[in-house]
Amino acid sequence: MLAILKRELRSYFSTSIGYIFVGIFLALSGALFSYTTLQQRENSDSSFYFTLMLFAFVVILPLLTMKLFSEERKLKTEQLLLTSPISLWSMVFAKFLAAYAIFAVTFLVSCCNFFILFNYGSPEVAIILGNIISILLVGAAFIAIGVFVSALTENQLIAAFGTMAILLILLLLGVASSYVNFTPIRLIINWLSIFTRYTPFTYGEFSFSAIVYYASITFVFLFLTVRIFEKRRWD
Amino acid sequence: MIKIDHLVKHFGDKKAVNDISFTVEAGEIVGFLGPNGAGKSTTMNILTGYLSSTSGSAIIDGVDILENPMEAKKKIGFLPEQPPLYLDMTVEEYLNFVYELKGCTLSRKKHLAEICEVVKITNVYKRMIKNLSKGYKQRVGIAQALIGNPKVIIFDEPTIGLDPKQIIEIRNLIKTLGRDHTVILSTHILPEAQAVCDRIIIINEGKVVANEKRENLTNLIQGNRRFEIQVCGPQKEVMSELKNMQGIAKVEYLGNSELDSNMFMIESQPGIDIRKTLFYALARNNWPLIGIDAMGATLEDIFISLVDKAKEQQKPKRTKAQK
């Protein structure tokens, strides 16, 4: 597993995709941070920043996941992985972990922006930390979804746009629920919505059920990815 | 070393592999021969654990690939039809990656250096794979299969797309590997199997149509009944004399040659050695026989006749079923 993890991490930076991701991520987070906090003066709201970042992830996280399996399939290098003495789980998890590591490190670096705020006032540390933890969890779920879509196709572009579409739908579910009058369906949509689950963190509340929810999504999509490879072997 | 037992693989309605059984002994180089789409790659992919069989079993050195894939995969080195190379890596990075991927425990530096020596890629060790020629890429693919010193090495169409010089080099390499490993090699090129393999398994439409030692396969069909002869004598008369010999089945004029001689192909009837009769017949007419060469059937002949034979055997069954 370590071999695949190392190879993936190296490959992000031997091709330009790693630099592009880090560059766009930091530029975007810097701009959003400056817009939502520094320019708002005393009304600055760090939760709004994180919410916007969540939507930015829809576009930038697929950059990390789109090639993970689709390229292996296209170049037939997956034959090497699938005929080597490693389990499907460790193969899938190594790929997930590589993308996640790049995301998490870049995100944590971008959070250094918050040190600036302490020069001007006393921001609520609890809210910021709650948001950071939940963003790390949402990121894991998003990346797991990206890994799954990447295993479905050998075309990187389809993998990227497919992931974007799914992530966008998941985020907008919460917004859509307010238009649904039928209560049971609204409850179900709210239950499914990534965004609704995220809201407590923006108040500085620590929601255990949300953590379980994001962890479950991550697990389910990694599990489905393993199943794709098993199914393909039997077909 | 390898035991394939009643292997079947369906792709939807299509039977890509239809009840194949064979065994491969340790140290053998076995050629897996068949036209494109015969089921060669599918069988190899099942053997390496890339695909699962619909039914039947594949056992490598006593380990069933379906029941204990991890253990079985450790015993196999595989070069797929398209070598699984990461173009953004150097040869060194790639081989180190495969070394770690396979959980190899041999001394890394020494083992990789030995492999590079055997497949002759030491001079490109530090280069990016994407910048290598096709021949070198193929060698890196072979090097990858050798990592961990597996007992069985499987090559799927190893010389496809290479130039003639590279083909000969890769064939020699495979022969060398056959000294220490059990090798299965799939190909649709008959001379390749002839040049490299100890035994040849011919497969067509998912079934084994022949499984013979290389020499036996030729004898199986023609039994050394064909000779190419060179005779100093007038073409027409020699031809008619040859045709009148006892035990002759076929005579063909091949053309004239140096020393005013003519070349003929003669084929005897089964079970008859025509050589003495030939000698006396020509001596009677004072036509010197200045050359005689035994002609084995080429694998092309064998292949076509075996495949036709298999088809003919299937035909009556089909009509019965239709009725």
Side-chain angles (χ1 to χ4, degrees):
Chain A
M1 194 184 100
L2 210 59
I4 300 180
L5 175 64
K6 268 162 62 184
R7 201 210 87 76
E8 287 302 329
L9 286 176
R10 193 193 291 132
S11 126
Y12 276 125
F13 295 102
S14 68
T15 59
S16 48
I17 200 80
Y19 297 104
I20 292 175
F21 172 80
V22 173
I24 293 181
F25 192 111
L26 292 180
L28 204 62
S29 62
L32 289 177
F33 179 79
S34 150
Y35 170 71
T36 53
T37 56
L38 301 181
Q39 290 177 9
Q40 305 294 327
R41 300 187 178 273
E42 57 270 19
N43 295 325
S44 81
D45 175 7
S46 56
S47 288
F48 184 46
Y49 163 73
F50 286 112
T51 309
L52 285 180
M53 280 306 284
L54 218 53
F55 279 90
F57 287 170
V58 171
V59 183
I60 53 180
L61 283 189
L63 284 178
L64 282 183
T65 58
M66 62 184 187
K67 76 174 188 73
L68 283 176
F69 284 111
S70 55
E71 200 182 47
E72 298 262 4
R73 198 165 158 194
K74 194 171 173 189
L75 296 176
K76 309 258 181 189
T77 42
E78 65 167 19
Q79 265 187 306
L80 173 66
L81 302 183
L82 297 174
T83 56
S84 294
I86 47 158
S87 70
L88 288 177
W89 261 109
S90 52
M91 174 183 82
V92 170
F93 194 66
K95 296 249 181 192
F96 164 78
L97 213 55
Y100 189 69
I102 305 272
F103 156 75
V105 169
T106 317
F107 172 67
L108 289 175
V109 167
S110 77
C111 288
C112 293
N113 289 334
F114 282 95
F115 288 117
I116 300 168
L117 290 187
F118 289 94
N119 283 335
Y120 299 101
S122 47
E124 286 195 55
V125 180
I127 291 184
I128 295 173
L129 277 181
N131 272 301
I132 289 176
I133 291 169
S134 60
I135 285 273
L136 286 174
L137 286 164
V138 178
F142 281 11
I143 287 171
I145 291 169
V147 168
F148 168 74
V149 178
S150 168
L152 290 175
T153 170
E154 58 181 64
N155 186 321
Q156 287 194 39
L157 271 182
I158 294 178
F161 284 117
T163 310
M164 284 179 199
I166 294 179
L167 296 185
L168 196 64
I169 290 169
L170 279 175
L171 275 181
L172 292 180
L173 269 181
V175 182
S177 75
S178 53
Y179 294 100
V180 177
N181 290 325
F182 189 54
T183 319
I185 291 183
R186 191 167 65 229
L187 285 177
I188 291 172
I189 291 177
N190 272 336
W191 191 88
L192 280 174
S193 159
I194 282 190
F195 196 64
T196 315
R197 296 274 178 180
Y198 184 77
T199 327
F201 291 100
T202 60
Y203 311 140
E205 266 179 41
F206 198 76
S207 161
F208 187 69
S209 75
I211 288 173
V212 173
Y213 168 77
Y214 293 133
S216 309
I217 288 193
T218 309
F219 175 78
V220 165
F221 277 95
L222 293 182
F223 173 76
L224 288 176
T225 313
V226 171
R227 292 294 306 158
I228 288 173
F229 284 101
E230 273 174 5
K231 187 175 180 302
R232 211 185 290 154
R233 199 163 65 184
W234 285 99
D235 271 353
Chain B
M1 181 58 73
I2 298 172
K3 191 166 182 279
I4 299 256
D5 202 20
H6 295 291
L7 207 65
V8 176
K9 177 71 181 174
H10 295 246
F11 288 123
D13 292 339
K14 192 179 177 281
K15 270 190 183 174
V17 172
N18 189 1
D19 198 16
I20 280 183
S21 302
F22 63 85
T23 54
V24 179
E25 301 300 326
E28 259 189 317
I29 304 184
V30 170
F32 216 48
L33 197 67
N36 292 324
K40 302 188 299 280
S41 288
T42 309
T43 309
M44 305 217 142
N45 283 332
I46 294 172
L47 207 52
T48 53
Y50 183 60
L51 292 176
S52 297
S53 55
T54 310
S55 65
S57 66
I59 292 164
I60 294 110
D61 197 20
V63 185
D64 191 312
I65 185 83
L66 265 188
E67 282 170 12
N68 194 351
M70 291 290 212
E71 227 17 72
K73 283 173 183 178
K74 281 185 192 163
K75 296 174 186 290
I76 297 177
F78 180 38
L79 174 69
E81 198 169 336
Q82 188 176 335
L85 304 174
Y86 292 101
L87 303 178
D88 59 343
M89 294 175 114
T90 64
V91 175
E92 179 182 17
E93 286 168 345
Y94 176 70
L95 294 182
N96 275 286
F97 163 65
V98 178
Y99 177 93
E100 288 170 22
L101 186 69
K102 291 189 176 177
C104 185
T105 49
L106 299 163
S107 149
R108 182 191 297 232
K109 221 175 164 185
K110 192 168 160 244
H111 184 49
L112 294 185
E114 276 169 5
I115 289 174
C116 290
E117 200 60 45
V118 172
V119 300
K120 299 199 182 93
I121 51 169
T122 314
N123 54 333
V124 296
Y125 195 55
K126 301 273 181 195
R127 281 178 59 186
M128 290 287 276
I129 293 177
K130 66 179 167 198
N131 295 332
L132 297 181
S133 70
K134 197 148 191 217
Y136 269 115
K137 280 183 186 155
Q138 196 73 3
R139 280 164 190 274
V140 176
I142 294 176
Q144 159 277 124
L146 298 181
I147 290 178
N149 210 6
K151 289 186 173 176
V152 177
I153 304 176
I154 297 179
F155 295 112
D156 195 356
E157 307 264 2
T159 58
I160 206 161
L162 299 182
D163 69 35
K165 187 168 169 273
Q166 292 167 335
I167 289 178
I168 290 168
E169 285 171 359
I170 297 286
R171 282 183 192 163
N172 288 337
L173 177 58
I174 293 171
K175 269 196 230 169
T176 319
L177 294 175
R179 288 182 208 143
D180 305 317
H181 305 266
T182 305
V183 178
I184 298 190
L185 150 98
S186 93
T187 177
H188 65 276
I189 308 158
L190 303 154
E192 181 155 290
Q194 216 167 8
V196 179
C197 304
D198 305 322
R199 196 149 59 83
I200 295 169
I201 295 171
I202 298 183
I203 173 171
N204 189 49
E205 292 179 358
K207 280 180 182 288
V208 171
V209 289
N211 178 356
E212 291 286 340
K213 292 224 157 183
R214 183 183 47 189
E215 315 83 69
N216 293 354
L217 199 62
T218 318
N219 294 337
L220 187 78
I221 307 297
Q222 300 294 347
N224 245 359
R225 287 156 39 210
R226 279 190 192 183
F227 298 93
E228 187 183 291
I229 59 169
Q230 199 174 348
V231 183
C232 293
Q235 184 207 329
K236 277 187 185 161
E237 283 89 333
V238 176
M239 188 82 170
S240 73
E241 183 67 33
L242 291 175
K243 276 184 181 164
N244 290 330
M245 285 193 306
Q246 250 192 355
I248 194 85
K250 197 175 162 193
V251 182
E252 216 173 276
Y253 177 63
L254 299 176
N256 58 354
S257 180
E258 85 278 24
L259 299 170
D260 294 329
S261 63
N262 290 303
M263 312 271 286
F264 300 89
M265 189 281 290
I266 58 167
E267 191 181 318
S268 65
Q269 286 164 5
I272 288 175
D273 190 346
I274 197 84
R275 286 174 293 184
K276 280 185 190 167
T277 322
L278 171 75
F279 172 78
Y280 288 119
L282 295 176
R284 259 200 316 275
N285 291 291
N286 275 335
W287 295 326
L289 174 67
I290 60 169
I292 178 162
D293 260 331
M295 290 168 79
T298 64
L299 268 169
E300 267 91 353
D301 298 334
I302 297 171
F303 184 70
I304 290 164
S305 75
L306 279 172
V307 168
D308 286 349
K309 215 185 257 178
K311 269 186 193 164
E312 270 171 29
Q313 280 167 0
Q314 280 170 5
K315 262 184 199 165
K317 279 182 205 162
R318 273 188 202 149
T319 35
K320 251 185 198 171
Q322 279 166 358
K323 279 174 193 173

